[in-house]
Amino acid sequence: MDRNNELYKAGLLLHGHKCPAMPMGLRAGLAALEALGVPRAADGQLTALIEIDSEHCATCYADGIQMATGCTFGKGNIRKLGYGKFVLTLVEVKTGRSVRVATRNEVIKRNQESEFIQYRKNNVPASKIDPALVEPNIDFILDAADADLFKIGPVTEIKLPAGRPHDFNTIICAECGEVAVERYARVKNGQIVCMPCAEKN
């Protein structure tokens, strides 16, 4: 992948700093799309199941996956499974066809041993680290073959639990006066309120 690739440039803009994990997620997402033979999701055609967690050492991986697959937190078709692993399972919702893409151990090890990650371990923000320290890792991730970065599983069928349709009905909370989606409304002292107001004493 070239640094002038539109998805890579957009990923950098979205993500805000240079690091190895965002392009790793980008490459994982693209590899999954290719393995399934499907295009990037414009709507909810795909679901991305990512095995990272919120306090994971490379949550940046999720931004690359969003950019590549079109599965986004805004669309609600990407989920963190919280296993602490650099793994993506991409599912074609209509058919249940899926593929699991796991980052190879040696790729993770290479990144972990980099000078960039040593700074990160010392709580230096990625945006404050000399970009020259991360460029070799980014170059490796962008240039390597899919097979050198990932273990790409076979296409298998999985059944996702049925999602709820989007609710376009809203209420105005009787307590704070803010709009809330109706299905999240509660009754408190005979009045329709939002969840935060319902939970207040």
Side-chain angles (χ1 to χ4, degrees), residues 174-175 186-193:
E175 197 164 312
R186 302 292 183 261
V187 177
K188 178 181 177 184
N189 300 326
Q191 295 187 307
I192 305 296
V193 298

Side-chain angles (χ1 to χ4, degrees), residues 36-51:
L36 284 179
V38 296
R40 188 175 189 271
D43 299 298
Q45 298 92 338
L46 303 171
T47 294
L49 307 174
I50 50 175
E51 298 189 16

Side-chain angles (χ1 to χ4, degrees), residues 15 17 19 21-22 50 52-66 73 80 86 120:
H15 192 54
H17 65 245
C19 70
M22 187 285 289
I50 50 175
I52 63 169
D53 201 352
S54 297
E55 286 78 41
H56 195 261
C57 60
T59 53
C60 310
Y61 176 79
D63 282 350
I65 287 171
Q66 289 185 98
F73 290 104
K80 287 183 183 179
F86 301 86
R120 292 294 295 121

